[in-house]
Amino acid sequence: MVERTTASAGANGKTVTAQRPDEIRNVALVGHSGSGKTTLVEALAVATGAVVRAGRVEDGTSVSDYDDIEQRQHRSVQLSVVPMAWNGRKINLLDTPGYADFVGELRAGLRGADAALFVLSAAAGVEGVSGPTLALWEECASVGMPRAIVLTHLDTARADFEEMTETCRDILGGGQSESILPLHLPVYGDKGADGHRPVIGLIDLLTQHVYDYSAGSHTETPASREQLALMAQARDRLIEGIIAGSEDETLMDRYIGGEEIDLETLVTDLERAVARGSFHPVLIAAPPPEGARQGLGTVEILDLVTRGFPTPAEHPVSAIGVNGRSAPLVCDPGAPLAAEIIRTASDPYVGRMSVVRVFAGTLRADDTVHVCGHRGGGAGTLDHDSDERIGAVSAPFGKQQRPLGHAIAGDIVCVTKLSRAETGDTLSAKDSPLLIEPWSMPDPLLPIAIRAHSKADEDKLSLGLARLVAEDPTVRLEQNPDTRQLVLWCLGEAHRDVALERLRARFGVQVDVTDHRVALRETFATTAVGRGRHVKQSGGHGQYAICEIEVEPLPTGSGIEFVDKVVGGVVPRQFIPSVEKGVRAQAARGVSAGYPLVDVRVTLFEGKAHSVDSSDAAFQLAGGLALREAAAAARINLLEPVAEVRVVVSDDYVGQVLGDLSSRRGRVLGTEPVGSGRTAIRGEVPELELRRYAVDLRSLAHGAATFTRAYSRHESMPAPLADAIRAKNTG
């Protein structure tokens, strides 16, 4: 982090390439919405010479947030890959959305990356570090992904550098606060008219030099006596943190013994600790002034990425071969091909485009590759398994696609013409097929019922929905057999809006959103008798059928049981199945509020027939009439589905969540601590009360909660609520 050179490739308009995997760094930018990730990407692009002015390529569009939907909604909704070069290394920055609804795109970015920069707004304080940020930090820790922290917005009135770094240590450190320490201290300028003090430079705690950015470029000077005194305590703490995590066990003894550890040793140990994920440096960033090339901290961040973050070869991924055995992939351009689609998009001119991370081998344009994967990210039998010929290979850069002849192991590129491949699929050599297990995706829990807006939309709906689901694995499509509704399951309201906008703008399908219906049931609460009489005479053969039935309730889950107790042949044998068919048809239509009837025993015990006028159709009608008459004489219960839920929430919001579950007619089954200041709450809640729970829980717990749901059973609904539903359905 001392030696620096200018970018070796990737000047504006040129394609950034790498010849070896160790020349590549894949870095995901992670952080809450508004933390400044996209601004940081643009600042780094300017600093490396990838663009000549803040975040803009030759056509004037941004290198990130360039999608039409992002432009209209003014927020990131998809993963963007921005390649650039620094110190002879190719850096693929994966800019991920910060809004919780687009966590699927964020997970894809983490899968494509080998390290992560957590971008946190100093103005947000504790709220910006806890909740979703903590969950993502722990997720990265669970897979050993190296991480660094970049603090932004230090020039705002509420920002406090020391307080923010302490907050990061307390919340993210997990009891190892010395693993999260700043590499620099901010240098503040004079107060402006608004009372704010801009950050104009950095004090490097290791080199004891000052990096001045006040003129919009990086200049280096020795620290003054006052600055040396200011940094002394922080420098000692940083050196102790580096030594404590050093693989050289003699280093601590030498340091305690009073030996001055040389700068080269400290820098080398720091870089090794960052690469193996045991030390997480805190850096500072701010965008460059108008017309300037280098924003505050951009040089230091790029140095850390190229020298401290691991190469693709140091981040192994396993794949399953044709023999069913799992083995780590070798990040070697000469190995058999193994790549994974981390994102799928549609372009109106070139069709489907796949963003691909190459883990092994070399991906070449016009190659035929083997494609396999699980639709929806599930395990088990492969849903598709075939060969496809890819089209062009290109480097993504904003809206542009810069042509490449091939992509080596470790790189991230775009390929075209993979018509059947979807996000999460594996691309491998056709003579050596492999499967990389897909990464986990959150379960969409917000149901949206839709229908085609017009006949023309209805004709295009199936294709549009298929393309939408192929692009976004966090969208689940369901054709509900009970309610006969077409349901899109999304992660939240913002996710819903983007999904519907993509259907309209990209796929030309306009849909209407309707009220989502929950699959209710009906059942008899008391025993009742009904008589069905269908007698008509209109010349020629008439219609004649009379039957009498008894209906009694059965335990939950029994379905419909039909019993024949006819004696004396009053209902001929050939018409008894007709009565049963009529009863079951009427049960499917419902007898009270229009919901299917379940859990009853129907006993046919009496009836009459005519030698000429009786028929199958007549006895079917009579059976349905008998069931309706029995229902009119009985008390009918409405049954609602009940879900078993598990809510994981920050301890600060347990009381609010418990109260909210109670207000939703929920029953709490138990609570248990799950570590890191969080509690798991188990309960049962009627599904009628869960239709907006994904949105309401996020608001209630300020994003510091997640939940899962699973169908448990149907049970009786409270009488007042059942009466209100009947009145609505029959009014």
Side-chain angles (χ1 to χ4, degrees):
M1 296 168 203
V2 180
E3 300 174 5
R4 296 185 178 90
T5 63
T6 58
S8 61
N12 195 45
K14 296 181 181 179
T15 302
V16 182
T17 59
Q19 304 303 316
R20 303 188 312 272
D22 61 6
E23 296 177 349
I24 299 172
R25 302 293 185 272
N26 297 311
V27 182
L29 272 72
V30 179
H32 58 85
S33 185
S35 63
K37 297 185 303 300
T38 300
T39 301
L40 178 59
V41 170
E42 295 177 345
L44 295 175
V46 173
T48 59
V51 294
V52 294
R53 62 190 180 93
R56 303 291 162 177
V57 292
E58 301 95 297
D59 59 5
T61 59
S62 174
V63 295
S64 191
D65 288 0
Y66 53 83
D67 182 80
D68 291 341
I69 295 176
E70 292 176 315
Q71 294 291 313
R72 285 192 292 271
Q73 297 195 6
H74 303 289
R75 62 182 168 199
S76 300
V77 302
Q78 65 182 23
L79 172 69
S80 300
V81 182
V82 183
M84 54 190 69
W86 187 258
N87 281 344
R89 302 289 183 263
K90 177 181 181 180
I91 304 171
N92 290 316
L93 287 182
L94 293 92
D95 185 14
T96 66
Y99 199 70
D101 280 10
F102 308 107
V103 66
E105 297 281 334
L106 188 150
R107 296 270 178 90
L110 292 178
R111 182 54 169 257
D114 304 307
L117 285 173
F118 275 71
V119 184
L120 305 178
S121 171
V126 175
E127 292 297 322
V129 182
S130 58
T133 301
L134 174 60
L136 287 169
W137 182 272
E138 292 176 343
E139 186 174 321
C140 291
S142 67
V143 296
M145 177 171 284
R147 287 145 285 152
I149 298 169
V150 179
L151 298 184
T152 61
H153 303 154
L154 276 173
D155 58 346
T156 58
R158 293 181 298 169
D160 186 307
F161 175 74
E162 292 186 1
E163 181 180 317
M164 190 63 181
T165 53
E166 287 296 331
T167 298
C168 290
R169 281 197 288 268
D170 292 342
I171 297 177
L172 305 180
Q176 299 180 4
S177 60
E178 298 310 307
S179 67
I180 299 177
L181 293 169
L183 299 184
H184 314 97
L185 297 182
V187 177
Y188 292 94
D190 297 331
K191 283 187 178 181
D194 56 2
H196 295 172
R197 297 180 62 195
V199 182
I200 60 172
L202 304 172
I203 304 174
D204 191 312
L205 294 177
L206 288 183
T207 65
Q208 302 185 86
H209 284 185
V210 175
Y211 307 136
D212 186 0
Y213 283 90
S214 59
S217 62
H218 177 278
T219 58
E220 184 175 331
T221 60
S224 66
R225 182 177 301 174
E226 293 79 7
Q227 289 169 330
L228 288 173
L230 179 67
M231 75 170 73
Q233 184 176 355
R235 185 174 192 269
D236 289 343
R237 190 173 184 180
L238 174 61
I239 291 174
E240 289 171 4
I242 295 172
I243 292 174
S246 174
E247 294 178 333
D248 184 351
E249 297 179 356
T250 68
L251 202 59
M252 180 60 76
D253 294 334
R254 290 159 52 195
Y255 179 73
I256 294 175
E259 180 180 336
E260 183 74 22
I261 308 301
D262 64 276
L263 178 63
E264 183 178 352
T265 298
L266 290 173
V267 170
T268 300
D269 275 358
L270 170 64
E271 292 171 351
R272 289 173 178 171
V274 171
R276 65 175 181 266
S278 61
F279 187 84
H280 315 292
V282 179
L283 301 101
I284 302 170
E290 185 67 30
R293 175 171 175 178
Q294 291 173 330
L296 178 79
T298 52
V299 170
E300 288 68 36
I301 293 171
L302 291 165
D303 284 346
L304 175 74
V305 166
T306 54
R307 300 186 57 178
F309 279 169
T311 70
E314 297 173 87
H315 182 212
V317 172
S318 295
I320 300 172
V322 291
N323 57 6
R325 296 179 180 175
S326 178
L329 298 171
V330 179
C331 188
D332 179 359
L337 176 66
E340 188 172 29
I341 298 175
I342 60 173
R343 187 173 181 277
T344 307
S346 295
D347 185 276
Y349 302 105
V350 299
R352 182 177 292 189
M353 301 188 65
S354 302
V355 179
V356 176
R357 164 71 192 260
V358 184
F359 288 102
T362 300
L363 183 67
R364 294 181 173 83
D366 299 319
D367 271 359
T368 299
V369 298
H370 187 75
V371 181
C372 62
H374 308 291
R375 283 185 173 86
T381 305
L382 294 178
D383 287 308
H384 50 293
D385 193 9
S386 60
D387 291 343
E388 282 197 70
R389 184 178 180 182
I390 66 174
V393 176
S394 59
F397 198 82
K399 281 188 174 181
Q400 299 179 359
Q401 298 297 321
R402 297 175 174 176
L404 294 171
H406 64 276
I408 64 171
D411 211 350
I412 300 174
V413 294
C414 280
V415 300
T416 60
K417 295 186 178 180
L418 290 175
S419 59
R420 294 187 295 275
E422 301 176 354
T423 300
D425 284 358
T426 301
L427 308 182
S428 56
K430 62 179 182 178
D431 55 351
S432 182
L434 296 170
L435 174 66
I436 301 173
E437 281 298 314
W439 62 94
S440 63
M441 283 291 187
D443 191 19
L445 296 168
L446 179 66
I448 310 296
I450 61 171
R451 63 186 176 199
H453 180 71
S454 65
K455 175 62 177 174
D457 294 310
E458 190 173 332
D459 295 337
K460 298 181 290 184
L461 183 59
S462 295
L463 179 59
L465 289 172
R467 293 171 68 183
L468 178 68
V469 173
E471 286 192 11
D472 187 353
T474 59
V475 171
R476 179 162 56 88
L477 182 63
E478 173 192 32
Q479 182 73 58
N480 192 300
D482 296 316
T483 63
R484 295 182 290 279
Q485 284 188 312
L486 187 62
V487 181
L488 278 180
W489 288 84
C490 303
L491 294 174
E493 291 178 314
H495 190 213
R496 172 203 63 190
D497 294 343
V498 168
L500 298 181
E501 177 70 5
R502 282 176 175 161
L503 278 176
R504 184 193 65 79
R506 292 187 183 176
F507 311 137
V509 181
Q510 184 76 34
V511 298
D512 297 326
V513 176
T514 61
D515 290 338
H516 175 254
R517 296 194 297 270
V518 172
L520 303 181
R521 302 281 188 270
E522 301 175 353
T523 193
F524 277 58
T526 58
T527 300
V529 174
R531 185 171 188 264
R533 183 177 184 274
H534 182 69
V535 178
K536 289 187 178 181
Q537 186 68 47
S538 57
H541 285 299
Q543 299 180 50
Y544 190 97
I546 298 174
C547 63
E548 295 184 35
I549 61 172
E550 180 186 61
V551 185
E552 55 186 314
L554 291 177
T556 300
S558 300
I560 296 179
E561 182 181 331
F562 186 83
V563 179
D564 170 22
K565 286 191 177 180
V566 173
V567 294
V570 292
V571 177
R573 292 284 93 191
Q574 68 269 27
F575 294 134
I576 290 176
S578 303
V579 176
E580 180 179 358
K581 187 182 295 184
V583 166
R584 291 187 180 277
Q586 183 62 54
R589 293 190 294 269
V591 294
S592 173
Y595 298 105
L597 179 70
V598 295
D599 303 334
V600 293
R601 177 184 292 120
V602 179
T603 302
L604 175 63
F605 63 88
E606 187 61 80
K608 291 183 180 180
H610 189 278
S611 60
V612 175
D613 293 341
S614 291
S615 66
D616 170 67
F619 271 101
Q620 285 191 46
L621 290 170
L625 290 170
L627 185 61
R628 288 164 58 184
E629 183 176 292
R635 179 162 58 88
I636 304 299
N637 283 348
L638 284 190
L639 305 177
E640 60 180 339
V642 175
E644 185 174 328
V645 300
R646 184 175 186 267
V647 184
V648 178
V649 60
S650 170
D651 291 344
D652 296 336
Y653 302 106
V654 169
Q656 292 93 315
V657 171
L658 289 173
D660 181 68
L661 289 176
S662 178
S663 71
R664 296 173 186 271
R665 300 186 285 125
R667 293 182 293 272
V668 175
L669 303 179
T671 63
E672 59 181 349
V674 291
S676 301
R678 289 178 294 173
T679 297
I681 302 170
R682 293 184 301 106
E684 293 179 338
V685 185
E687 290 193 5
L688 277 171
E689 307 290 345
L690 290 176
R691 286 181 288 188
R692 282 185 50 82
Y693 192 57
V695 176
D696 296 339
L697 178 64
R698 184 180 300 162
S699 175
L700 180 70
H702 300 276
T706 59
F707 85 104
T708 57
R709 60 188 284 177
Y711 170 77
S712 177
R713 64 187 180 280
H714 273 71
E715 66 177 31
S716 293
M717 180 184 296
L721 182 57
D723 291 341
I725 291 176
R726 287 193 189 94
K728 179 181 178 181
N729 289 0
T730 58

